[in-house]
Structures are given as C-alpha cells and as structure tokens.
Amino acid sequence: EVELSKSDYYKIKKICKELDLDLIITPMDEDSVEFVGQLGVNAFKIASADMTNLSLIKKCSEYNLPLIISTGMWLEDDIKKCVKFYKENDIEYALLLANSTYPAPYEDLGLYFINKLKKLSKVVGYSGHERDIFIPIAAVTLGAKIVEKHITLNRNQKGPDHKASLLPSQWKTMVKNIRLLE
C-alpha cells in the first residue's frame, strides 16, 4: 500500500521535466531496471542492500548512466571488491556513505569514512537517515558532492522512511546552508 504504480512514475517524470529536476530512481530487481531505464532517468540509485548485487548493477550499466551506490551495510573489504568490479566493467559510479538504520543514531554514522570512500571513487556522497539537517552539512565539509535525504509531508504517514525524513521547511534550510557552505 506504500508502493508507487507505473502511472505514478510517469506523473513524477512529467513533474521533474516541468521543474527541470533530475529523476533518479532505485530499481530493486532487473525488471524494474528495464522499466526505469525506459522511463528515462538521469542516474540509477543502488540501495546499499544491492551494492553487491553485481547482476543488477551490470544491468543498470547497460543504460550508460551513472550509478549512485550506497555502502550502508558493508565493510571496507566488501566495498573494495565491488569497486574493483565496477572499474573492470567501466561502470561510472559514485559511492555514498550510509547507515542502514532508520532513523540512524548519530554515534553510528562514521562520517570520517567519507575520507576512505574518496580513495575508492571520484565522486562521494552521503545518504542520511538520521533526524535533522546538520549531519549532511558536515558531510559536505568532508567532501560529499551528493546528499540524499528523504523528505515527507507528514512524519506520521505509513512507511519506513517518514520518521527519519525531513519536512519541506527543513529541506529548504538544509539546501540553503549547503549552498552557503559551498
């Protein structure tokens, strides 16, 4: 009951075009890759659970679009093995530091791991599932070029992400502060 329909995605695509926004979608299986690729996205987002799903990643790479890959639940050695595969297959990718807990406790975020990711990827970012806005801003000071934060209109909605999501006013403040920092 919290999934989007194909027609929802077409509506979102239209709105993104009207607002000149990049459309980036996370496919969870190879059939979804085909739908998303045909829909026309600017990049594929790979969930941390799928960082090692090399067949899914290979399928996404067939569209010659960048892959934005979360590293949430993986150890450094796992990330290095995947990076080796990405490079061997000429896959354009960015790595995101992430914590797969919703909401993520501040003490578990390990922001300085961004420095290790910078040695493995030309572009690094931060996928935040903690509350509030100061951690993504701190990630930018460490070199994050991509920031992923969830947004909601109501934290009490059904679904796993709403409690750790930003309200629109918080989102606006976060973006403003990141732009000021830049």
Side-chain angles (χ1 to χ4, degrees):
E1 67 188 79
V2 295
E3 291 183 12
L4 298 173
S5 68
K6 287 186 176 183
S7 66
D8 291 331
Y9 281 104
Y10 287 111
K11 290 175 190 171
I12 292 167
K13 170 75 174 171
K14 182 179 180 222
I15 292 169
C16 285
K17 185 173 179 150
E18 290 169 2
L19 297 175
D20 194 29
L21 295 173
D22 290 341
L23 179 59
I24 300 170
I25 296 176
T26 304
M28 304 305 280
D29 56 54
E30 292 187 29
D31 289 339
S32 298
V33 171
E34 288 182 25
F35 171 72
V36 170
Q38 292 168 0
L39 178 67
V41 293
N42 298 86
F44 288 98
K45 167 66 175 33
I46 304 298
S48 59
D50 285 320
M51 184 191 81
T52 62
N53 185 343
L54 303 181
S55 63
L56 180 77
I57 289 178
K58 189 79 168 142
K59 180 79 171 171
C60 289
S61 73
E62 292 173 8
Y63 290 86
N64 294 314
L65 295 169
L67 275 62
I68 301 170
I69 304 170
S70 286
T71 61
M73 53 184 58
W74 300 101
L75 299 173
E76 187 174 357
D77 286 343
D78 300 312
I79 298 168
K80 285 179 179 178
K81 286 176 190 171
C82 289
V83 163
K84 183 175 186 266
F85 174 85
Y86 307 154
K87 289 180 178 179
E88 289 172 352
N89 288 276
D90 285 329
I91 296 171
E92 185 182 346
Y93 68 95
L95 296 177
L96 302 184
L97 174 67
N99 183 304
S100 297
T101 306
Y102 290 68
Y106 295 120
E107 62 273 13
D108 294 344
L109 297 178
L111 278 184
Y112 282 108
F113 196 72
I114 287 174
N115 293 321
K116 291 187 179 193
L117 292 180
K118 287 192 293 191
K119 295 174 184 172
L120 301 173
S121 180
K122 293 177 191 172
V123 178
V124 298
Y126 178 71
S127 176
H129 304 121
E130 73 291 327
R131 293 185 171 103
D132 214 346
I133 65 170
F134 70 93
I135 296 295
I137 297 166
V140 171
T141 67
L142 293 171
K145 301 296 183 194
I146 299 168
V147 171
E148 177 191 23
K149 279 290 281 183
H150 299 213
I151 188 168
T152 186
L153 299 176
N154 179 348
R155 287 205 180 108
N156 295 316
Q157 284 180 254
K158 287 184 182 179
D161 298 343
H162 295 286
K163 296 237 182 297
S165 297
L166 298 179
L167 296 169
S169 61
Q170 293 175 296
W171 179 268
K172 184 176 179 179
T173 300
M174 179 189 72
V175 171
K176 178 183 173 192
N177 284 322
I178 289 171
R179 294 293 177 242
L180 288 171
L181 177 63
E182 290 172 337

